[in-house]
Each structure stands twice: as C-alpha cells, then as structure tokens.
Amino acid sequence: METIKLRPHHLLCTQGYSGKGYSKAFVSYMDAVVERLRNNEDEKVEIVFTTDNLCENCPSKISNGVCKSDDKVLRFDKGVIDALRLDEGIYSYQELIAKLDEYLASGVEDERLKKICGDCEWYPVSACWKNIKTKKYII
Ligand code: SF4
C-alpha cells in the first residue's frame, strides 16, 4: 500500500475527525485513512507542504497545491511545522502525533491548539482538543 501523504495540519485533523466532513466522498476516504493511521503502530506518512491525499477528495481543492481556504490552511500548516520543526519527508505517524500532542498539552488547556487552528470551522464540531488531550490515538 502506498504511503499516505499528509500536509502538516492534517496531523491534527486525523486525530480530531469524528465522522463529519465536506462531502460523502471526503468522509468515506477520511474514514479509510484514519482507520489505517489509528490502528497501525508502524504506519509511515509522507509529510508534504502542499495539497495531500485527503485534499484529493475534498470539494475545496481547486487544483494541485491550491485550496479554496489557503488563507487559513497555510497558517494551520505553519503552526504545526513550527511546533515540530518539520521538513517534508517520511515519518512515523505515531512519533509525530506523540510529539505534537505533548507540545499541545503543555499549555493551559487548549490555548496552544487554538493558536494553530482555533478559527477552523470544525473546531467546535469535531473532537480535536478532547482527543489530543486524552492522547486517544497514541498507541
Ligand atoms: S479544506 Fe483544503 S486543506 Fe482541507 S482537506 Fe480540503 S483541500 Fe485540503
């Protein structure tokens, strides 16, 4: 199976996702991706600083590398890049989210997460902070 390509802020979305999304196709693909990431300790991901596998099935993708919400999502990506000092490349998904969740949980409540993506439309809908705080998907 091919390595899943993820843009940096999707390290957050893949933990917060709780079955809701932009379209039927998006939700069904997201279900398959999170199932794989959440259940395989050794799963590797390729971090890309552009549109990724999840964007492929999203109605907001305009073209390769361009999302309708770039004003927000590029800022979300940068927040995660800075928190983890990330470069593009292959990583262990578990190692990345363990490091990221550690960083986020060391602030006061969800202040660090909110600083990265608090104005995302899914923030009040999904279980982002709850899952990160409880380290729900750390195997
Ligand atoms: S909203 Fe943009 S960044 Fe998020 S999955 Fe869709 S295309 Fe990708």
Side-chain angles (χ1 to χ4, degrees), residues 45-57:
V45 288
E46 182 179 351
I47 296 295
V48 292
F49 292 175
T50 183
T51 47
D52 65 3
N53 283 156
L54 294 173
C55 302
E56 286 308 312
N57 292 281

Side-chain angles (χ1 to χ4, degrees), residues 1-99:
M1 232 189 258
E2 266 181 42
T3 309
I4 296 168
K5 286 189 173 65
L6 285 186
R7 60 188 308 158
H9 84 269
H10 283 163
L11 292 168
L12 300 170
C13 310
T14 50
Q15 296 186 80
Y17 174 74
S18 35
K20 300 191 185 77
Y22 302 103
S23 67
K24 237 175 154 183
F26 181 86
V27 167
S28 120
Y29 187 70
M30 187 77 173
D31 283 344
V33 167
V34 299
E35 159 84 21
R36 208 171 126 183
L37 293 176
R38 290 173 179 177
N39 295 301
N40 296 301
E41 202 177 336
D42 301 326
E43 192 72 28
K44 298 269 191 279
V45 288
E46 182 179 351
I47 296 295
V48 292
F49 292 175
T50 183
T51 47
D52 65 3
N53 283 156
L54 294 173
C55 302
E56 286 308 312
N57 292 281
C58 178
S60 293
K61 184 182 168 189
I62 293 174
S63 59
N64 279 342
V66 186
C67 165
K68 199 170 77 185
S69 307
D70 266 348
D71 57 325
K72 278 189 180 179
V73 299
L74 291 174
R75 177 164 43 84
F76 300 164
D77 282 341
K78 185 169 185 321
V80 174
I81 291 169
D82 291 348
L84 291 175
R85 293 168 208 260
L86 265 185
D87 286 313
E88 289 187 302
I90 307 281
Y91 295 85
S92 147
Y93 178 76
Q94 277 294 317
E95 277 176 30
L96 283 184
I97 64 165
K99 220 167 129 190

Side-chain angles (χ1 to χ4, degrees), residues 99-109 111-112 129 135:
K99 220 167 129 190
L100 186 55
D101 292 4
E102 193 71 51
Y103 165 81
L104 294 168
S106 57
V108 176
E109 270 305 302
E111 64 171 9
R112 289 188 168 188
W129 174 238
K135 301 192 174 9

